[in-house]
Amino acid sequence: MDEPKKWHHGYELSKATELASGTLYPILMRLSDRGFLDHKWVETPEAGRPARHVYRLTAKGVAYANEQFDLCDEAGASASGTVSRA
Amino acid sequence: MRLAAILLSLADWLMPANRKEWLAAMRAEAAHLSAGAALSWAIGCVVSAFKERIMLRTGTLSVSRWIFAFEMLCFVPITIGWWDALAGDSGVILLNGDVISRYFLVNAHSKFILAMMIAGAVIGVVGPIGLLLAGRFILTGHGLQSRTAGIAMIFALLLVGAAWILARLVWGQGAYAASFTSLLLLVFLPAAVIWHLMALARPAAGATQGGAMASR
């Protein structure tokens, strides 16, 4: 989300999200199905290694993620408000 | 690397045709990893492929609450069995030391039957719990949130089923020996409905996955 235009490969996303590949890829598939994720193949400079599939959120995906973050922030603010009022 | 390659081939076999590009993506990623990381990555490929295969067969698994009422009936036989094992004519609460030593500690088969009676009274509680959970789903739309509880119940049922199959193999037909009907009604159908209740508890796809992916 810090660099929404940057492409990331699967292992990088797995490390960043701390999700195992068996959890991450079904999510990537669903996000792609819903138009939230772009993906493409890129050649790798390492000789003898296959091209890698890379991913980034689409504009729709970024908007949706921001919407979700806002909802989380609101929920967090109202929860802390409740606590402070109590 | 050889084991990883075998697992990737298994994943390739499992993955539905419309998702093959994603498997190719996972395979390509594995080729960029160290042997250790590639192995755990390959296990994940199998898990992903299995999930996609299940989704292909079952869709979203969502079902009308009222149609689920029919699924709820799958807990009735095991609930009756549980009550019988607990408080029926030969239920465990009627057992005492004398009866146990006279009838149930005679040989391996009688000890097995005693163990199965106790297991029926303990594990059979899945039946009434399942009825409550299914009733809650019908009334409130909430599935089984606790994966631990769900997996424990399914595992317990499968364990009992395995014991019945073993009894059938060792002693042939008789008390607690597996039959198709007993396995279907008392093990597989309740286990399947518990699994369904767990699936119904998952949030709708897209509602939270965007948040899971995007960390800031």
Side-chain angles (χ1 to χ4, degrees), chain A residues 53-67:
Chain A
H53 212 215
V54 291
Y55 314 93
R56 73 177 181 190
L57 289 174
T58 60
K60 185 180 167 189
V62 172
Y64 183 78
N66 283 326
E67 196 181 302

Side-chain angles (χ1 to χ4, degrees), chain A residues 1-8 55-59 62 66:
Chain A
M1 278 300 289
D2 292 335
E3 297 172 280
K5 294 215 181 283
K6 190 178 169 194
W7 294 92
H8 302 273
Y55 314 93
R56 73 177 181 190
L57 289 174
T58 60
V62 172
N66 283 326

Side-chain angles (χ1 to χ4, degrees), chain B residues 146-164:
Chain B
S146 169
R147 283 173 61 83
T148 308
I151 289 167
M153 286 193 282
I154 292 171
F155 180 76
L157 289 172
L158 294 178
L159 199 65
V160 167
W164 290 349

